[in-house]
Amino acid sequence: MCDDDHGNGVPRRALFVTGAAAALTLGSVTFASGADAAGGPGTPASGTETRTVRGTLPTGSPDFVYLPVEVPRGVREIKVAYTYEKPSVPAGTAGNALDIGIFDERGTDLGGRGFRGWSGGARSEFFLRGDDATPGYLPGPVRPGTWHIALGPYTVAPQGLTYEVTVTLTYGEQAATPKPVYPPARARGRGRAWYRGDCHLHSWYSDGRRTPAEIAALARAAGLDFINSSDHNTHSSHPHWADQAGDDLLILLGEEITTRNGHVLALGTDPGTFVDWRYRARDNRFGKFARRVREAGGLVVPAHPHATCIGCGWKFGFGEADAVEVWNGPYTPDDEIALADWDNMLVAAVRSGGHGERGWLPAMGNSDAHRDPDQVGTPQTVVLADDLTREAVQAGLRAGRSYVAESQLVSLAFTASGARGEHAGIGERLKVAPDTPVTVRVEAAGAPRCTVRLVTDEGLLFTSDPLPVSGAGTVEWRTTAAYAAYVRAELRHEAAAGPLPGALAAFTNPIFLGDAR
């Protein structure tokens, strides 16, 4: 049972369970009516009122605990501040971590109709009013009714999680809410060409430390043609990117849907789209919200599926995914595992004959950059698109016409050709008979001393000598569709020591060989 002690004269309330198994609701925080605060009916309200709530959440608390706040008429601004104790814990034991957000009078039902903001554990206080809000929160009217502060006990120490929440209402006339302006869905492209992008970026609208302007400048410096906003569990940044877009930079809008069972990118959704995150794999609700992403014009891309941070490992499966983020930030063992797992999925797809439409899952890579020294564009996905537009870039990613490179310095061309002039590129199929000779060709640049590796459904079948110090070179390998159902290319740095391969400099999506079965 959670203690629920409302300070400042507000009576202690009992805790009760809501209809959702993974949520609890505390007793309500109440204030005098706006008229009472102002001195009587019909008198314009002014001034502030504050209430403080204290309590302790035990280990095993649900994912979300809601604190109802009865907001009277005449309120122009809500401010919330919170603190919680962080006692020492034994090595290997999770300490306290408490996230926070807020829902307005429209309620907390799954789907987020009442969603007004989320900052996770990135901020200790926030405000919102008609014309402004703390980054992560949505400006808009403060309407009377029951609002809910959402507390998310991410981890709870054995001693319990003791918290204090202070709510301050400011009375007065509502400020007008500005009409949002969003970035355009098109930039000046080069027609059908290879475009570079980073689709996993965090700003100060969630737990990042960079403004949209700073991120856009870093994207341009990294040689990117497009980026995607992906703040954790909020779309509040969407109206703040318009000034950063330009003829040279396409800015897509999205969200990193950050559940307790893994993170997934909503890539390139309609402006203002919010996608809820308050469910686990066992709740069987992810499919509904994956469809929500696609209905809003976005792609569903599970992020860093083998990351070891708490709640980061992907547990929803890949049946609803449009692509998967195999490489996340500087290359680490997590990425090596993700690459191997993705390759196993490719093998399963060709073995089952499922390499037609949506039968295989394209890979991509992104920086997941939050703050210095995180490098925007390390890595970056290079996609063949018909133009530099939202729809064209998404089509290229969905089709797997892409490769991932560690920086703008690395580029490659990867093709397969048959004896009669048949030709296929990345993400395509070379339609040849099983015994027809196939020539696979890799042209690399910007990869000094890297080796070229060719991987098929039978495993690693070719490793080149190191490229020259100039970083440029061409490699050819011959095979047949009977020997290799697909082939994909890797550029690897020299290994420091031992049998493990060096870190990736680049890798491609596959080229499939033979007629589709």
Side-chain angles (χ1 to χ4, degrees):
M1 193 70 169
C2 303
D3 293 330
D4 183 16
D5 178 15
H6 292 204
N8 294 334
V10 180
R12 181 185 176 97
R13 304 282 180 154
L15 183 71
F16 60 90
V17 183
T18 67
L24 293 173
T25 300
L26 303 170
S28 296
V29 179
T30 59
F31 291 82
S33 70
D36 291 342
T43 305
S46 61
T48 63
E49 283 191 283
T50 297
R51 298 286 186 270
T52 298
V53 177
R54 302 177 184 88
T56 300
L57 301 174
T59 56
S61 290
D63 290 342
F64 302 101
V65 176
Y66 294 105
L67 175 62
V69 179
E70 301 299 335
V71 176
R73 297 185 182 280
V75 174
R76 71 181 302 268
E77 179 181 294
I78 295 179
K79 180 179 179 181
V80 177
Y82 83 119
T83 61
Y84 60 94
E85 294 182 1
K86 299 178 181 179
S88 59
V89 296
T93 301
N96 284 333
L98 183 63
D99 294 342
I100 198 167
I102 195 168
F103 291 76
D104 65 20
E105 84 291 345
R106 292 172 292 180
T108 62
D109 288 348
L110 202 60
R113 184 167 176 265
F115 177 78
R116 290 295 294 270
W118 181 259
S119 48
R123 301 181 186 277
S124 60
E125 62 180 46
F126 63 86
F127 77 91
L128 52 86
R129 61 175 185 257
D131 63 339
D132 199 5
T134 299
Y137 295 81
L138 307 178
V142 180
R143 293 178 290 262
T146 303
W147 291 51
H148 290 83
I149 296 168
L151 301 176
Y154 205 68
T155 54
V156 179
Q159 301 94 319
L161 194 159
T162 298
Y163 64 88
E164 180 178 287
V165 179
T166 298
V167 184
T168 300
L169 303 184
T170 299
Y171 295 94
E173 185 177 352
Q174 294 269 0
T177 302
K179 183 178 180 180
V181 178
Y182 301 111
R186 171 183 295 273
R188 181 185 297 165
R190 304 181 297 277
R192 186 173 176 84
W194 292 94
Y195 296 99
R196 294 176 177 261
D198 187 346
C199 294
H200 191 166
L201 295 162
H202 295 279
S203 75
W204 70 353
Y205 287 88
S206 61
D207 63 341
R209 292 294 179 268
R210 292 167 173 157
T211 65
E214 290 169 330
I215 293 171
L218 291 169
R220 289 180 166 98
L224 300 182
D225 301 294
F226 65 93
I227 59 175
N228 177 72
S229 73
S230 57
D231 282 309
H232 293 285
N233 295 345
T234 181
H235 59 298
S236 62
S237 73
H238 287 191
H240 301 279
W241 288 101
D243 291 345
Q244 309 311 320
D247 288 345
D248 62 335
L249 184 65
L250 173 68
I251 298 181
L252 308 178
L253 302 176
E255 176 187 338
E256 184 173 11
I257 305 162
T258 307
T259 80
R260 300 299 177 87
N261 284 162
H263 303 182
V264 57
L265 303 176
L267 196 164
T269 54
D270 294 336
T273 297
F274 168 74
V275 185
D276 214 324
W277 73 96
R278 294 172 295 159
Y279 43 84
R280 289 180 181 255
R282 65 191 179 207
D283 299 323
N284 294 317
R285 288 169 171 161
F286 176 66
K288 172 182 177 181
F289 292 100
R291 290 189 292 275
R292 164 72 172 140
V293 172
R294 281 192 282 272
E295 288 167 358
L299 302 183
V300 177
V301 184
H304 46 66
H306 291 276
T308 57
C309 47
I310 294 174
C312 294
W314 184 248
K315 299 184 182 301
F316 294 92
F318 296 94
E320 295 286 351
D322 295 300
V324 58
E325 184 187 76
V326 167
W327 184 352
N328 174 276
Y331 200 73
T332 66
D334 296 349
D335 302 305
E336 189 71 33
I337 294 170
L339 181 69
D341 191 43
W342 171 67
D343 190 71
N344 288 338
M345 287 193 284
L346 292 178
V347 173
V350 297
R351 293 288 184 266
S352 65
H355 44 274
E357 180 68 19
R358 286 192 57 78
W360 67 283
L361 191 63
M364 64 183 308
N366 302 297
S367 72
D368 198 2
H370 284 70
R371 60 189 68 83
D372 292 339
D374 298 352
Q375 293 185 314
V376 172
T378 300
Q380 50 195 252
T381 298
V382 191
V383 58
L384 179 61
D386 289 336
D387 208 345
L388 190 53
T389 68
R390 169 187 166 191
E391 292 79 7
V393 167
Q394 289 175 320
L397 294 173
R398 189 185 294 109
R401 297 193 304 265
S402 61
Y403 66 91
V404 181
E406 65 180 353
S407 76
Q408 63 182 316
L409 300 178
V410 180
S411 61
L412 58 82
F414 179 47
T415 59
S417 57
R420 298 182 178 180
E422 305 96 333
H423 180 89
I426 300 171
E428 297 176 341
R429 169 169 297 282
L430 184 69
K431 296 182 179 181
V432 292
D435 58 350
T436 297
V438 172
T439 299
V440 176
R441 181 181 176 90
V442 180
E443 299 175 54
R449 303 300 299 168
C450 286
T451 57
V452 177
R453 293 166 29 124
L454 297 177
V455 182
T456 78
D457 56 309
E458 296 293 341
L460 174 65
L461 294 185
F462 175 83
T463 302
S464 75
D465 293 329
L467 296 174
V469 292
S470 67
T474 300
V475 170
E476 288 190 349
W477 178 65
R478 287 173 176 80
T479 187
T480 65
Y483 189 48
Y486 69 82
V487 59
R488 61 180 184 83
E490 298 177 355
L491 296 180
R492 294 272 186 170
H493 290 287
E494 293 179 290
L500 295 177
L504 280 177
F507 78 94
T508 72
N509 275 299
I511 299 173
F512 294 97
L513 306 180
D515 291 329
R517 297 192 270 282

